[in-house]
Amino acid sequence: MNIVIVSTLLVLVLVVLFSSDALPKKYRNRSCKGKAWKSMFPTTSKQEIREFLRLFVCAFALNEKEKLKFSPNDELLEVYKAIYPREWQADSMEFETLDDDLKAEYGLSLEEIWHEKLTLGELFIRVKNA
């Protein structure tokens, strides 16, 4: 019976330690980046920007309430690396989910526009032109 309790506790500790649903500290401590988005995209409605960011945070399994913590200059790969700092960590297929969501919502394939320095702002431009 003790081995079951110890095993259960160990699993719970590992889940808490390696869970990816928390926004990394680098982004969590930021103020709202809504002004940066409106500055870069002055003719775009706040609602359109928020919908795009909602799609992004949902694909990355992050809390929707924190969507405006992301800047148009944030690189997608850097966000991913902040969530998964260890190379051996299994991910939750964030990029695959984002690709599927972009195709469904905007008819845009992430695979076709991908490069390692792709920013949220660049992706938003492509979404707007899709």
Side-chain angles (χ1 to χ4, degrees):
M1 181 82 124
N2 286 340
I3 191 76
V4 172
I5 293 171
V6 170
S7 297
T8 303
L9 288 174
L10 180 60
V11 168
L12 288 173
V13 167
L14 290 174
V15 167
V16 169
L17 285 176
F18 296 109
S19 175
S20 67
D21 63 350
L23 191 63
K25 187 176 183 179
K26 173 182 179 176
Y27 304 101
R28 184 176 55 243
N29 292 337
R30 286 181 171 178
S31 61
C32 174
K33 297 299 176 191
K35 284 185 181 181
W37 282 96
K38 281 305 286 180
S39 176
M40 189 173 279
F41 302 100
T43 61
T44 304
S45 72
K46 291 178 182 180
Q47 184 62 31
E48 193 176 350
I49 293 167
R50 287 183 177 124
E51 281 299 312
F52 168 77
L53 290 172
R54 183 199 57 76
L55 183 135
F56 172 73
V57 296
C58 287
F60 274 66
L62 299 170
N63 189 327
E64 187 177 337
K65 293 177 183 178
E66 296 175 320
K67 64 184 171 284
L68 286 170
K69 298 279 185 160
F70 292 98
S71 160
N73 296 319
D74 286 333
E75 295 176 7
L76 277 71
L77 194 54
E78 288 301 313
V79 173
Y80 176 85
K81 288 178 179 179
I83 295 170
Y84 299 105
R86 295 166 192 89
E87 287 185 31
W88 51 265
Q89 273 182 285
D91 69 12
S92 297
M93 299 180 63
E94 287 84 353
F95 286 119
E96 293 85 352
T97 302
L98 182 59
D99 184 52
D100 289 344
D101 293 348
L102 288 168
K103 286 176 187 170
E105 188 72 25
Y106 303 105
L108 178 70
S109 173
L110 183 61
E111 191 174 358
E112 293 173 7
I113 62 169
W114 176 258
H115 61 88
E116 288 194 13
K117 297 289 185 185
L118 183 65
T119 65
L120 283 168
E122 288 178 82
L123 181 57
F124 188 62
I125 290 169
R126 298 302 286 263
V127 159
K128 287 180 57 71
N129 295 327

